[in-house]
């Protein structure tokens, strides 16, 4: 039947053509999200979600690859990270928030993909390589205690992306090798079993990198050097007073020579929604302690509304559950559609 005869079919096609871009992004529930996530990825996520159909995955299965011995932490943080995302004010008609482990099709696809990746290729993945070194307390010196699950998490990431047939993946620089590996797997799959997958593209982050309050190169939930989005105004003041700085007089912006102070200047600019050049003149002659108080005030103003909303959402467990139920339904439906094509292509559709 020509499609113009069926109005519904026509509309369906039109919608498919118009909403071609499917964004997949997400967070590892290893801790509540912090202001580094906010300025580095969440603000961009909110803008992207206004333009495209967006899936946000709470990556509990991935979090377990280096937290298998702490399941309660992962479970608790699923709800923290969910509330952090919901407080952004996402339009849930257009955004699906779901828990990775609730979509068994991802695990199924991971198994099939694992045949298409060599162990040597996984060991060469620069991100995984660096992480194995950083996590030596878990995986031993030189990775002697490296697990199959952690080495293989890029395979499971390929399944996250391709199970939903998502094609635009916002990433930081460190995640580029993962997208590369996903494209390799999709290409190999298509060559062996037939065209099923579109190759996904990355959208490289333009967000700001925020260093830790302890001066570490990255504010990170594993390093306990963060201002969390759920922190109160008082906690923020306390943390900023203790933040590492240097003994140079006055405030200036020079990330190479004064990384800690420059990071605080950057945060001040972000929270007062001005450029670094614009804020510098008013800060230059300030004493560090006074500057920290000024920053705390500006940060507390900036996040006041977000925090209030987040607290309200986090307290409403029935609402959180409702969002997760809806997300599960939507992600399951899409993943199952993909798996039917995959099983058919692989001749296992008995
Ligand atoms: P974990 O310790 O579990 O690895 P993390 O705090 O390092 O947690 P991730 O979940 O690894 O956070 O980060 C996910 C994404 O969030 C990064 O790819 C990056 O885009 C953004 N992000 C995280 N930390 C920062 C930061 N300090 N500054 C800017 N962006 C950040
Ligand atoms: Mg990390």
């Amino acid at each position: 039947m020509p499609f113009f005869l069926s109005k519904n079919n026509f509309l369906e096609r039109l919608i498919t053509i118009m909403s071609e871009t499917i964004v997949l992004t997400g967070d590892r529930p290893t801790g509540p999200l912090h202001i580094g996530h906010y300025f580095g990825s969440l603000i961009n996520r909110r803008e992207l979600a206004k333009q495209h159909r967006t899936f946000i995955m709470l990556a509990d299965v991935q979090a377990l690859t280096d937290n298998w011995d702490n399941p309660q932490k992962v479970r608790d943080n699923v709800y923290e990270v969910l509330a952090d995302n919901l407080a952004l004010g996402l339009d849930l008609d257009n955004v699906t928030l779901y828990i990775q482990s609730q979509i068994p099709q991802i695990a199924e696809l991971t198994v099939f993909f694992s045949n298409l990746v060599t162990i040597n290729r996984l060991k060469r993945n620069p991100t995984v390589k660096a992480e194995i070194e950083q996590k030596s307390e878990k995986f031993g010196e030189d990775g002697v205690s490296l697990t199959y699950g952690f080495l293989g998490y890029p395979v499971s990431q390929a399944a996250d992306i391709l199970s939903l047939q998502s094609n635009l993946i916002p990433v930081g620089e460190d995640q580029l090798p993962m997208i590369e590996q996903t494209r390799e797997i999709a290409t190999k799959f298509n060559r062996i079993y037939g065209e099923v997958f579109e190759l996904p593209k990355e959208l490289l982050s333009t967000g700001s990198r925020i260093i830790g309050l302890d001066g570490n190169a990255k504010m990170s939930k594993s390093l306990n050097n963060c201002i969390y989005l759920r922190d109160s105004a008082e906690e923020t003041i306390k943390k900023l007073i203790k933040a590492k700085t240097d003994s140079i007089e006055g405030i200036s912006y020079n990330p190479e020579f004064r990384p800690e102070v420059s990071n605080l200047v950057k945060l001040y600019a972000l929270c007062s929604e001005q450029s670094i050049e614009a804020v510098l003149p008013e800060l230059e002659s300030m004493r560090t302690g006074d500057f920290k108080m000024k920053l705390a005030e500006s940060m507390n103003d900036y996040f006041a509304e977000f925090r209030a909303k987040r607290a309200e959402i986090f307290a409403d467990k029935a609402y959180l559950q409702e969002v997760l139920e809806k997300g599960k339904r939507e992600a399951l439906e899409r993943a199952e559609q993909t798996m039917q094509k995959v099983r058919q292509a692989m001749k296992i559709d008995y």
Side-chain angles (χ1 to χ4, degrees):
M1 184 171 62
F3 71 75
F4 58 81
L5 289 182
S6 151
K7 206 172 157 198
N8 281 344
N9 193 346
F10 173 73
L11 278 179
E12 246 170 57
R13 280 166 187 247
L14 199 63
I15 289 165
T16 320
I17 293 165
M18 280 166 46
S19 58
E20 258 176 345
T21 300
I22 306 286
V23 173
L24 174 67
T25 180
D27 302 293
R28 289 158 42 91
T30 52
L33 300 184
H34 50 69
I35 58 171
H37 292 113
Y38 184 87
F39 292 117
S41 78
L42 296 184
I43 331 189
N44 287 339
R45 175 179 301 182
R46 177 168 55 201
E47 289 316 303
L48 210 54
K50 285 181 190 159
Q51 298 160 38
H52 306 293
R53 180 83 182 89
T54 298
F55 287 81
I56 301 177
M57 186 180 80
L58 309 171
D60 62 340
V61 176
Q62 195 191 119
L64 285 165
T65 62
D66 54 346
N67 292 277
W68 65 83
D69 46 0
N70 206 346
Q72 192 63 46
K73 166 177 144 187
V74 174
R75 186 190 175 96
D76 291 344
N77 283 307
V78 161
Y79 295 95
E80 297 282 349
V81 170
L82 176 61
D84 288 328
N85 273 281
L86 288 170
L88 288 171
L90 303 167
D91 170 9
L92 294 186
D93 286 339
N94 198 37
V95 175
T96 300
L97 275 147
Y98 67 102
I99 302 176
Q100 186 182 20
S101 63
Q102 298 213 298
I103 314 301
Q105 287 84 349
I106 300 174
E108 184 185 357
L109 195 55
T110 304
V111 172
F112 301 148
F113 282 171
S114 67
N115 295 323
L116 308 180
V117 190
T118 65
I119 290 170
N120 279 332
R121 175 67 181 85
L122 287 170
K123 285 187 170 161
R124 277 203 319 270
N125 183 314
T127 305
V128 178
K129 221 168 144 173
E131 284 172 342
I132 293 167
E133 277 169 30
Q134 278 161 22
K135 295 173 199 282
S136 62
E137 86 289 354
K138 208 114 215 168
F139 299 127
E141 290 304 322
D142 298 326
V144 284
S145 313
L146 177 64
T147 59
Y148 169 60
F150 191 80
L151 180 66
Y153 92 74
V155 184
S156 131
Q157 248 177 10
D160 298 332
I161 295 169
L162 296 170
S163 61
L164 293 181
Q165 315 228 23
S166 51
N167 49 20
L168 189 64
I169 320 297
V171 288
E173 198 86 44
D174 57 332
Q175 290 294 306
L176 281 175
M178 302 303 178
I179 307 297
E180 198 46 53
Q181 189 130 39
T182 299
R183 281 194 289 257
E184 278 175 36
I185 291 171
T187 304
K188 199 161 174 186
F189 186 102
N190 288 345
R191 181 160 45 78
I192 298 171
Y193 304 113
E195 283 293 323
V196 170
F197 296 114
E198 183 190 337
L199 303 191
K201 290 193 177 62
E202 70 276 354
L203 181 66
L204 198 56
S205 165
T206 51
S208 304
R209 189 153 201 73
I210 306 300
I211 73 171
L213 296 180
D214 58 353
N216 189 293
K218 195 182 159 213
M219 186 174 279
S220 166
K221 37 186 146 76
S222 310
L223 298 174
N224 196 22
N225 59 6
C226 312
I227 295 178
Y228 293 105
L229 295 174
R230 66 160 191 203
D231 283 349
S232 66
E234 294 70 38
E235 280 167 314
T236 302
I237 295 170
K238 270 193 213 150
K239 285 185 177 182
L240 282 174
I241 288 173
K242 276 198 256 161
K244 185 176 172 200
T245 48
D246 52 43
S247 50
I248 301 169
E249 227 172 88
I251 303 300
S252 57
Y253 185 78
N254 189 333
E256 203 179 326
F257 294 106
R258 302 189 74 186
E260 298 91 357
V261 168
S262 302
N263 188 52
L264 298 182
V265 172
K266 188 197 270 180
L267 283 171
Y268 181 74
L270 288 165
C271 292
S272 58
E273 299 181 87
Q274 300 177 70
S275 67
I276 289 170
E277 297 72 44
V279 298
L280 271 177
E282 57 168 318
L283 306 179
E284 267 161 357
S285 60
M286 287 185 91
R287 284 171 36 208
T288 311
D290 296 336
F291 166 56
K292 283 176 164 178
M293 289 313 293
K294 193 176 173 69
L295 169 59
E297 198 179 313
S298 146
M299 193 176 283
N300 285 337
D301 279 350
Y302 183 86
F303 283 108
E305 207 179 308
F306 181 96
R307 283 171 178 162
K309 199 162 168 185
R310 194 214 184 265
E312 193 184 323
I313 290 169
F314 190 69
D316 191 348
K317 297 291 182 268
Y319 174 65
L320 294 180
Q321 211 51 43
E322 200 182 298
V323 171
L324 289 174
E325 283 300 323
K326 171 186 169 289
K328 179 180 169 181
R329 264 197 318 275
E330 292 170 357
L332 267 180
E333 191 187 330
R334 209 174 156 82
E336 183 50 27
Q337 279 170 7
T338 306
M339 287 316 293
Q340 284 175 12
K341 289 186 204 157
V342 166
R343 294 186 205 111
Q344 200 175 20
M346 293 182 71
K347 305 194 184 300
I348 51 172
D349 57 334
Y350 305 107

